């Protein structure tokens, strides 16, 4: 099933997050965005050349909008991470799945097809409940503005995912979509560095430096899998399976960083896995003959 590409994408993103956590000890956020973008651009250019996929696109404005809203969402998420507890920032960003479901169900209501989407919508909401159980977000009164920015990061991510779906429906290759998003990330990171400055290489530890290339490659692979999932799979199912990234991240935290997962967190992990399995079964049983384009 094409939607399972989202699980692979979540795995790559979670692994990339390990590298970001380590590299962030020496590089600022704009540097990480820039290096990730540059490495991803080079990696995707090589992949596209090997596959014979041209860089020229007939829909440059669609790619420009996808890159703009995607990078804006990424910047909003970074701001939320800097000003909110990590659990809260991640929860607000992972509301993108709920936003996607809201957009899809709203469209279904508009066209009188809501009965085909309601059960999948419920699994997306169930998965988000599992995310909240795992991350247990908190928000103080003086963090309301940052909370709003974090909420907008999830909304922006949802809009970017919907644009990825639109690009897939018109036949744009996944590699080309990832390439232009990576290019946009690199440019935004470069502009940010112009204001924040560049960390001297003499002040950077080798443990951080060796992660720069893997971060870019893993980010490109994650974007590629996510793009393929949203382009070819059921949008609601993919939005649900996106929550698997929280599970991968929790295991990395447990094994590599010694973080402890409370009982409620394990229960939330079980809810996320159960919601993904339930969504997969519902998609298979209730919409077995629906083409991937009919989201």
């Amino acid at each position: 099933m094409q939607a399972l590409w989202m699980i692979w994408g979540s795995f790559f993103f979670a692994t990339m997050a390990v590298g970001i956590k380590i590299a962030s000890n020496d590089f600022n956020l704009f540097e990480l965005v820039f290096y990730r973008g540059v490495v991803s651009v080079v990696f995707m250019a090589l992949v596209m050349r090997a596959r014979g996929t041209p860089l020229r696109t007939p829909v440059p404005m669609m790619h420009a909008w996808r890159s703009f809203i995607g990078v804006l969402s990424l910047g909003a998420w970074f701001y939320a991470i800097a000003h909110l507890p990590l659990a809260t920032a991640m929860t607000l960003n992972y509301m993108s799945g709920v936003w996607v479901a809201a957009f899809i169900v709203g469209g279904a209501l508009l066209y009188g097809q809501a009965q085909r989407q309601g059960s999948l919508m419920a699994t997306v909401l169930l998965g988000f409940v599992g995310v909240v159980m795992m991350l247990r977000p908190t928000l103080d009164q003086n963090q309301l503005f940052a909370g709003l920015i974090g909420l907008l990061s999830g909304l922006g991510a949802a809009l970017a995912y919907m644009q990825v779906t639109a690009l897939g429906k018109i036949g744009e290759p996944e590699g080309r979509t990832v390439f232009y998003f990576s290019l946009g990330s690199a440019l935004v990171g470069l502009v940010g560095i112009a204001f924040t400055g560049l960390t001297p290489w003499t002040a950077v530890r080798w443990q951080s430096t060796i992660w720069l290339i893997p971060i870019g490659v893993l980010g490109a692979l994650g974007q590629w899998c996510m793009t393929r999932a949203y382009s070819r799979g059921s949008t609601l199912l993919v939005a649900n399976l996106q929550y698997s990234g929280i599970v991968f991240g929790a295991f990395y935290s447990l094994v590599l960083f010694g973080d402890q997962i409370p009982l409620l967190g394990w229960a939330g992990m079980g809810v996320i896995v159960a919601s993904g399995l339930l969504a997969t079964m519902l998609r298979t049983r209730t919409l077995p003959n629906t083409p991937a384009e009919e989201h």
Side-chain angles (χ1 to χ4, degrees):
M1 181 182 294
Q2 293 293 348
L4 293 179
W5 282 102
M6 190 66 247
I7 295 180
W8 278 107
S10 297
F11 170 74
F12 288 131
F13 284 139
T15 308
M16 179 195 70
V18 174
I20 290 177
K21 184 176 180 64
I22 296 173
S24 63
N25 292 323
D26 293 295
F27 296 102
N28 64 47
L29 293 177
F30 284 113
E31 288 175 309
L32 292 175
V33 170
F34 172 72
Y35 290 128
R36 173 191 166 181
V38 167
V39 172
S40 295
V41 164
V42 174
F43 177 74
M44 291 308 304
L46 293 174
V47 170
M48 293 174 66
R49 181 174 181 179
R51 295 168 63 93
T53 304
L55 292 177
R56 185 179 179 85
T57 175
V59 286
M61 294 310 298
M62 290 186 70
H63 283 287
W65 170 248
R66 186 269 179 270
S67 296
F68 172 77
I69 197 67
V71 174
L72 202 64
S73 170
L74 189 66
W77 187 37
F78 283 168
Y79 180 90
I81 289 175
H83 295 84
L84 294 172
L86 182 60
T88 304
M90 291 189 66
T91 302
L92 292 172
N93 185 257
Y94 268 83
M95 275 196 70
S96 59
V98 178
W99 286 115
V100 167
F103 294 151
I104 295 299
V105 173
L109 286 170
L110 185 64
Y111 291 100
Q113 297 177 333
Q115 72 279 1
R116 299 174 58 194
Q117 306 289 348
S119 56
L120 284 173
M121 171 68 167
T123 64
V124 175
L125 295 176
L126 179 63
F128 185 70
V129 169
V131 172
V132 174
M133 290 171 65
M134 283 196 65
L135 300 181
R136 292 162 290 128
T138 59
L139 190 67
D140 294 332
Q141 186 173 359
N142 61 351
Q143 297 173 327
L144 292 180
F145 178 76
L148 176 61
I149 298 298
L151 190 66
L152 291 176
S153 77
L155 177 60
L159 292 172
Y161 297 152
M162 298 297 289
Q163 183 71 353
V164 166
T165 301
L167 285 165
K169 289 173 67 175
I170 65 172
E172 275 292 273
E174 293 94 354
R176 189 183 291 160
T177 300
V178 177
F179 174 84
Y180 282 112
F181 173 71
S182 301
L183 183 62
S185 299
L187 292 175
V188 170
L190 185 62
V191 171
I193 289 174
F195 288 95
T196 62
L198 193 65
T199 301
W201 284 98
T202 54
V204 178
R205 290 167 292 183
W206 66 268
Q207 293 92 335
S208 298
T209 304
I210 62 174
W211 270 104
L212 293 181
I213 293 179
I215 284 172
V217 173
L218 289 167
L221 291 174
Q223 284 289 331
W224 196 348
C225 290
M226 179 273 293
T227 300
R228 173 163 291 195
Y230 272 103
S231 298
R232 305 185 184 188
S234 164
T235 306
L236 281 176
L237 176 57
V238 171
N240 192 316
L241 295 177
Q242 178 187 354
Y243 294 138
S244 61
I246 292 290
V247 179
F248 291 127
F251 275 112
Y252 278 136
S253 295
L254 183 68
V255 175
L256 298 180
F257 302 107
D259 296 335
Q260 298 299 312
I261 301 177
L263 183 60
L264 183 62
W266 287 107
M269 193 182 303
V271 170
I272 293 171
V273 173
S275 68
L277 292 174
L278 182 59
T280 303
M281 290 189 295
L282 286 171
R283 174 66 185 178
T284 303
R285 293 179 181 178
T286 62
L287 302 172
N289 299 317
T290 303
E293 290 79 9
E294 295 182 14
H295 303 303

